[in-house]
Amino acid sequence: MKISIINGSPKGKKSASQMIINSMRDSFARIDDANSQGKLEICEMIVNKDKPQCEISDIFDSDALVLVFPLYVDGIPGHLLGFLAELEASSEKFTRADGKPIKVYAVSNCGFYEGEQANVALDIVRNWSNKLGLCYCGGIGIGGGGALQAFENMKAGRGPRAPIDNKLSSLVDSIISGKSLEKNTYISIGMPRGLYKFGSHSGWRRSIKANGLKPKDLNRQL
């Protein structure tokens, strides 16, 4: 089984999207070959200035395509949208030996606490898949993505990242079995909304101070 995973974050490997992919990769690794109907071939690609780890041609004969990306203005980042347009221009190359359409899954993480904020972005992926005759199998909207990397070194499935890791593990099971999610699902990082908001505000205040500014400078016209 061949699975192509695309990291659509401009931050590349230093992103929350990559952390999500790493969590999924660990779940794939835990699955026995017997359950996966043969050896898994995982192809990862970063869509930005970094050199991709596989060629675009590797995507066209995949069994599943997984798009992982941050939410930008309630939609898909422009560079990733351009990449999808590039794939659309070569849509005739999407082929599988069994003649069945490639299954498409999506994971969007956002700075908002509520994962539901990613619903429009997931609908964009659904519409793109339908236009190309691919099989959209559902997606996950992750809220609280701004805090994910703070828990990068925490053991998977523990602490605030537990709800997200568990949801990603379930997604991996669906990908391996070739099943569609019943519907797009949404999850938030495992901490109270107020605590997440406090941490977020502390973060941008530190950034302002590090750049020699004050919070009131944000309202200043340049």
Side-chain angles (χ1 to χ4, degrees), residues 1 3 28 31 35-37 40 171-178:
M1 183 178 188
I3 301 168
F28 280 123
I31 297 175
N35 294 332
S36 62
Q37 299 177 349
L40 285 175
L171 175 63
V172 167
D173 288 338
S174 296
I175 294 172
I176 293 298
S177 61

Side-chain angles (χ1 to χ4, degrees), residues 52-94:
Q53 294 172 287
C54 65
E55 300 296 331
I56 292 180
S57 57
D58 290 327
I59 296 174
F60 295 126
D61 62 346
S62 299
D63 296 287
L65 172 62
V66 186
L67 303 175
V68 183
F69 57 91
L71 186 71
Y72 275 30
V73 197
D74 286 350
I76 295 177
H79 61 278
L80 178 58
L81 199 60
F83 179 76
L84 296 183
E86 183 179 349
L87 292 180
E88 182 178 337
S90 304
S91 58
E92 73 281 354
K93 296 181 181 179
F94 281 101

